[in-house]
Amino acid sequence: MSRHSLHPSPAARLPEPLLVRLSSTDKPWSHESYCAGFEVEQWRCAAFADHMIEWIADYALREDELDINHGNMYVRLKEAAVRVYSTDKYAKRGEFGEIVLHAICRSFFDTIPLAPRVFYKTSSNDVVKSFDMVHVRYLQKDQFEIWLGESKFYKSGLEAVASAIQSVKQHIDAGFLRHEKLLLGPQVSKHLPHADAIRKLLASQTSLDALFSNAVFPVCIACDSGAIGTHKAHTEEYLSAVLKELVSYRDRLSESGLPNQIRMLLVYIPLGSKDSLAAAFDKRLKGLVIQG
């Protein structure tokens, strides 16, 4: 199935992937790693920041706003940039991790947003911290999965995993999920395939057990990597070093017991420098939102 075939709008024309999948396994549960790569023996910080700018429209705009052409593309890009830049979370640089997770799920897993993240968060008035990503993934025939994501963009991988564990535990609380269902149900686009079935799953009358059996919880850990600091190319030694880091974060999540309760997917993004990447992205975003 084509990664562009299911989305009913021009948003299906996604940016070409920059990140490369380094490893993927579902034993003992699903965990994968992705990297922006190297160029002239340097980690591709600037290219990574540029690529995430390419994704902000798909991340921040509603479906009806994604009818983009050569006459309005700059305006739409500025609108997306303003929405990303004006959120409270952006000041803490957390928004970048959310965009990365959005891009990976869209590019590698064919997911489709149920509601733009920025719009969804605004709609909740931040009374309760919402999921960082809410997508749907279509399977065979009339089957689908709801993907409820959490992303952490940190310098320290161990701190990122600890924060992710805390967030996910809060998110799978029954009261929180009931609240999320009330927010999400009305936002499901009528143009999405099987929209009625998705809305029924998110209806207040439907048991949370049905959502748990259907849902996938991707957790993105984007953090500074020792492997990148000691390598200059995608050598076998580099791949082995990244895999070692990935397994260590997977084991930490396993120790929490969460993979025994829910279907999790760990997405690990090794970074050469979280601070440099945040600064590069911030510079590009500011260039779009500065007035005058």
Side-chain angles (χ1 to χ4, degrees):
M1 180 181 295
S2 167
R3 72 186 181 97
H4 301 303
S5 61
L6 287 171
H7 202 287
S9 78
R13 296 189 289 271
L14 304 177
E16 289 300 317
L18 173 87
L19 295 169
V20 175
R21 181 185 270 149
L22 302 182
S23 62
S24 176
T25 181
D26 59 0
K27 301 183 185 310
W29 52 277
S30 297
H31 52 290
E32 307 193 346
S33 59
Y34 297 80
C35 181
F38 298 85
E39 191 169 65
V40 196
E41 299 187 340
Q42 298 291 322
W43 178 67
R44 300 178 71 193
C45 178
F48 197 177
D50 285 339
H51 186 56
M52 290 302 100
I53 290 293
E54 292 184 84
W55 274 99
I56 61 173
D58 192 76
Y59 166 80
L61 298 181
R62 296 190 306 270
E63 181 184 7
D64 62 310
E65 296 172 319
L66 282 167
D67 186 8
I68 298 173
N69 56 62
H70 71 279
N72 66 8
M73 62 176 66
Y74 182 60
V75 173
R76 290 289 184 260
L77 192 59
K78 285 175 65 71
E79 289 173 348
V82 167
R83 291 183 192 178
V84 171
Y85 198 76
S86 62
T87 60
D88 291 338
K89 191 171 185 179
Y90 184 76
K92 301 177 182 179
R93 300 298 189 270
E95 218 82 41
F96 185 91
E98 295 181 6
I99 301 171
V100 172
L101 179 58
H102 173 96
I104 287 175
C105 290
R106 294 281 273 141
S107 297
F108 292 92
F109 296 95
D110 303 319
T111 63
I112 299 173
L114 284 183
R117 170 68 182 124
V118 175
F119 178 71
Y120 164 48
K121 179 165 60 177
T122 301
S123 298
S124 71
N125 294 320
D126 287 332
V127 175
V128 181
K129 185 183 183 302
S130 53
F131 287 104
D132 290 338
M133 186 195 81
V134 183
H135 286 191
V136 58
R137 186 189 187 198
Y138 293 99
L139 308 175
Q140 295 180 349
K141 296 183 180 179
D142 59 348
Q143 296 180 321
F144 61 86
E145 299 168 335
I146 303 298
W147 282 41
L148 303 170
E150 183 68 27
S151 183
K152 300 298 178 183
F153 182 48
Y154 278 51
K155 288 182 65 67
S156 165
L158 294 180
E159 290 182 10
V161 172
S163 179
I165 291 170
Q166 181 181 19
S167 294
V168 174
K169 285 185 174 180
Q170 292 173 347
H171 287 172
I172 63 176
D173 173 80
F176 178 86
L177 281 175
R178 290 192 189 98
H179 174 82
E180 294 294 274
K181 286 172 64 177
L182 290 173
L183 288 174
L184 287 170
Q187 296 189 46
V188 175
S189 169
K190 63 181 180 180
H191 300 296
L192 282 176
H194 312 307
D196 289 342
I198 295 171
R199 279 194 289 267
K200 182 176 180 180
L201 180 66
L202 296 173
S204 58
Q205 296 86 352
T206 302
S207 170
L208 287 175
D209 293 344
L211 180 59
F212 273 117
S213 65
N214 171 280
V216 175
F217 294 82
V219 172
C220 178
I221 302 296
C223 62
D224 285 0
S225 164
I228 289 180
T230 53
H231 294 83
K232 298 180 180 180
H234 278 183
T235 61
E236 289 299 321
E237 291 79 11
Y238 172 69
L239 296 178
S240 177
V242 171
L243 180 59
K244 184 177 180 180
E245 293 174 342
L246 169 64
V247 169
S248 70
Y249 300 143
R250 179 207 68 193
D251 289 347
R252 289 281 182 140
L253 281 164
S254 293
E255 291 169 3
S256 73
L258 285 172
N260 295 326
Q261 302 175 52
I262 56 178
R263 279 192 296 165
M264 295 190 71
L265 165 65
L266 171 60
V267 174
Y268 172 47
I269 316 292
L271 307 177
S273 168
K274 180 257 185 182
D275 289 342
S276 295
L277 182 56
F281 182 71
D282 183 68
K283 180 179 179 180
R284 287 155 175 77
L285 203 63
K286 278 183 178 176
L288 289 169
V289 301
I290 290 175
Q291 301 295 322

